[in-house]
Amino acid sequence: MPVEAAPPTPLVLVVGVSGSGKTTVARLLAERLGWPHRDADEFHSPANRAKMAAGHPLDDVDRAPWLAAIGAWMDEEAAAHRPAVVTCSALKRSYRDRLLRGRPGARLLYLHGTPELLRARLGARHGHFFPPALLDSQFADLQEPGPDEHPVVVEVDQPPEAVAAAALSLLDLAVPSPPSEETPMPEQTPMPEQTPRSTGPTGEQWELRHGGQRAVVVELGGALRHYEADGVPLLDGFAADEPVTSGRGQLLVPWPNRVGGGRYRFDGADLRLALSEPERHNAIHGLLRWTPWRLLAHSGDAVRVGTTLHPQPGYPFLLEVFAEYRLDDDGLAVLVRAVNAGPTRAPYGVGQHPYLTVGTGLVDTALLTVPARRRLTTDEEGLPTGEEPVEGTAYDFRTARPIGAQALDTAFTGLERDPEGRAVVRLAHPSGRRGSDLWLGEGTRYVQIYTGDTLGEPGRRRRGVAVEPMSCPADAFRTGSGLTVLEPGAGHVLRWGLRPWGSADPDGTR
């Protein structure tokens, strides 16, 4: 048997202009990974240091031996099979090529910040040989990494701990720590004011690509707007110039589904939420659907967005929330994490609201599989009244069958999971040759299936099937069923994803 070649030693090259936090972030990465790290400043010759301290920028001749020294250290670490982190401004493409070429284990992490932010940081930094006046020369030289360099790009207008957490996640590096500590959230830190460049009713559009897959996440609510594989849409989403309707792709934080009457009692306090579903006298789908989410980090196939849920009437608690979307060979993976950043306990639930499609026009002929043993019965306000087994009822979709004319707005539980701990809801084309598997992972105890019969837009009814991963059922704030109570500093993770399968029918039907 031939011996398989060992994988290349991982090396992380942290780049960016002065003031972007390269040294701090590299140190945090190295500490969390248990790797050695070096700062590019350590490789400068005394002559280079003196030149910069005098206010003179380095030229390519000055930088050549500096880059060679950094590259030599990277090679030493790789030869010794020691994963490592190294910083370097590497402003020009040619510099990065020198450091990345011939080193297959090297990954590029670009720390991005505006000139105004970095100028303010440098002005507050004392005792460093790089004066703030040289920042303009750095931006003049800067050639931002292009897509073909496969950079992970992290915005630096957030605390260093959050920058490091985002980098670790998007670089997909294993951290030797318990799962609850994989993505620590920072303490509250004042953020610089930003003016987002909105494009249409849902703001910025962040695109992900991997192979034949394409997904789009939007600024408004951090929602998933679009997902396709080989040109075939898998979501009944919305266009870039359309508003979000019917909850399409939206994140549901800090509760999914409904809170009856908008009233609940928690830790001895009576609380009242706004009735966002007034026709049923309910508060519905949380508080962050219409909030702009910030871009925290991105690469070609992943994006990480986040926001702060501030205390407000009906929910006097402070949460830091982020969502990460990632494409790989297995499809789309979504992670939603919240951390209680306040001083008191907080009630919490989470879900998401994608509508799946297999291109059948209406969902009636689509084949649905829901691996659940029980469903929740509800009253006329959509609130749970109990549970019953699905066996022998019209709600038993444990074996694939057409949806037909059945109207579903039903929560299921008692999920049957595979060895990986995932429950898989399948929507298939009537031919049975293609479809999507929506898997429910960590933090998902319920799934809502909705065929859209009551949508306010008649033209969109029954066009897609909403398959909603949920941590708790409707009315959990009042009943406590499935409710998560976050202690100060504690977090919760919800994971789900979409896996396309099959191909177009032989007759060309997509």
Side-chain angles (χ1 to χ4, degrees):
M1 296 287 291
V3 178
E4 292 187 7
T9 301
L11 301 167
V12 177
L13 176 63
V14 185
V15 306
V17 302
S18 286
S20 59
K22 298 187 296 295
T23 300
T24 301
V25 171
R27 176 180 54 80
L28 289 170
L29 292 177
E31 288 175 354
R32 294 180 186 177
L33 293 165
W35 295 0
H37 85 284
R38 295 285 297 275
D39 192 276
D41 290 347
E42 301 173 35
F43 297 93
H44 274 304
S45 67
N48 280 2
R49 290 170 177 266
K51 186 173 182 178
M52 287 187 287
H56 303 299
L58 302 180
D59 57 27
D60 287 353
V61 174
D62 297 321
R63 293 189 179 103
W66 174 60
L67 294 169
I70 296 170
W73 183 80
M74 294 171 70
D75 289 337
E76 290 174 5
E77 298 303 297
H81 305 292
R82 289 192 297 263
V85 182
V86 64
T87 73
C88 180
S89 53
L91 304 176
K92 296 182 179 181
R93 172 66 182 261
S94 60
Y95 302 167
R96 297 190 294 272
D97 285 346
R98 290 189 60 172
L99 295 174
L100 296 174
R101 187 181 298 121
R103 299 179 176 101
R107 297 289 306 279
L108 183 62
L109 171 61
Y110 173 44
L111 304 184
H112 176 267
T114 64
E116 295 77 16
L117 172 63
L118 301 185
R119 189 172 289 110
R121 286 187 176 181
L122 287 175
R125 190 166 72 176
H126 302 287
H128 193 275
F129 62 78
F130 188 95
L134 287 184
L135 184 62
D136 290 340
S137 69
Q138 289 220 336
F139 272 102
D141 286 344
L142 177 63
Q143 298 169 345
E144 293 199 325
D148 59 320
E149 296 178 77
H150 307 292
V152 167
V153 183
V154 182
E155 301 297 324
V156 299
D157 59 348
Q158 52 185 320
E161 293 82 1
V163 173
L168 285 169
S169 186
L170 266 65
L171 287 165
D172 202 18
L173 296 172
V175 180
S177 60
S180 61
E181 299 178 5
E182 286 180 357
T183 49
M185 298 296 290
E187 296 180 358
Q188 284 295 98
T189 302
M191 299 292 182
E193 292 187 2
Q194 299 257 329
T195 303
R197 301 184 306 275
S198 294
T199 54
T202 54
E204 289 290 299
Q205 312 283 303
W206 299 306
E207 185 179 76
L208 295 68
R209 288 185 179 271
H210 181 87
Q213 301 174 79
R214 174 176 173 266
V216 181
V217 176
V218 302
E219 176 188 358
L220 183 64
L224 177 64
R225 179 175 73 75
H226 179 80
Y227 177 46
E228 65 179 56
D230 297 325
V232 178
L234 303 176
L235 294 181
D236 181 23
F238 53 97
D241 59 354
E242 291 181 330
V244 186
T245 59
S246 311
R248 295 178 190 280
Q250 290 184 318
L251 291 159
L252 316 177
V253 178
W255 73 86
N257 218 294
R258 298 169 171 87
V259 177
R263 297 175 180 269
Y264 66 103
R265 185 173 179 82
F266 183 75
D267 277 357
D270 291 315
L271 300 167
R272 183 174 183 178
L273 298 158
L275 299 184
S276 45
E277 190 185 38
E279 65 276 12
R280 288 186 167 185
H281 310 289
N282 296 320
I284 191 169
H285 289 336
L287 299 169
L288 293 179
R289 293 195 291 159
W290 310 110
T291 298
W293 288 49
R294 297 174 53 252
L295 177 66
L296 301 178
H298 68 94
S299 62
D301 57 11
V303 66
R304 184 180 176 107
V305 296
T307 191
T308 300
L309 177 55
H310 293 283
Q312 55 193 274
Y315 195 81
F317 311 102
L318 177 64
L319 302 183
E320 292 289 345
V321 189
F322 75 76
E324 185 173 300
Y325 299 86
R326 181 189 299 272
L327 293 176
D328 58 24
D329 291 343
D330 198 42
L332 172 70
V334 183
L335 177 151
V336 186
R337 179 174 171 83
V339 170
N340 182 359
T344 62
R345 304 195 323 157
Y348 181 75
V350 59
Q352 194 153 4
H353 208 299
Y355 285 75
L356 276 57
T357 180
V358 287
T360 54
L362 298 179
V363 301
D364 301 45
T365 58
L367 307 177
L368 177 65
T369 307
V370 183
R373 297 186 299 275
R374 302 188 302 278
R375 67 118 181 175
L376 275 64
T377 57
T378 57
D379 61 19
E380 61 184 12
E381 307 299 338
L383 303 175
T385 57
E387 291 185 12
E388 67 176 23
V390 299
E391 186 173 4
T393 75
Y395 297 94
D396 190 350
F397 285 91
R398 289 176 295 174
T399 301
R401 63 181 176 87
I403 295 172
Q406 186 170 357
L408 293 171
D409 191 2
T410 308
F412 293 86
T413 190
L415 301 173
E416 299 170 357
R417 299 181 182 268
D418 62 21
E420 296 180 354
R422 295 176 172 182
V424 179
V425 176
R426 169 167 286 189
L427 190 70
H429 188 270
S431 67
R433 294 187 174 94
R434 62 178 177 86
S436 296
D437 287 349
L438 190 149
W439 55 263
L440 307 161
E442 180 183 0
T444 56
R445 299 173 61 187
Y446 299 81
V447 62
Q448 185 89 10
I449 308 294
Y450 175 49
T451 47
D453 300 79
T454 58
L455 294 179
E457 305 166 275
R460 300 209 72 151
R461 293 174 183 171
R462 299 187 69 84
R463 271 184 32 178
V465 179
V467 181
E468 307 166 39
M470 302 190 302
S471 66
C472 59
D475 222 20
F477 273 25
R478 294 203 308 164
T479 66
S481 178
L483 183 69
T484 297
V485 176
L486 294 176
E487 298 292 338
H492 179 275
V493 169
L494 179 92
R495 297 180 192 268
W496 68 276
L498 274 169
R499 183 187 301 117
W501 55 272
S503 59
D505 294 337
D507 64 0
T509 302
R510 301 290 297 176

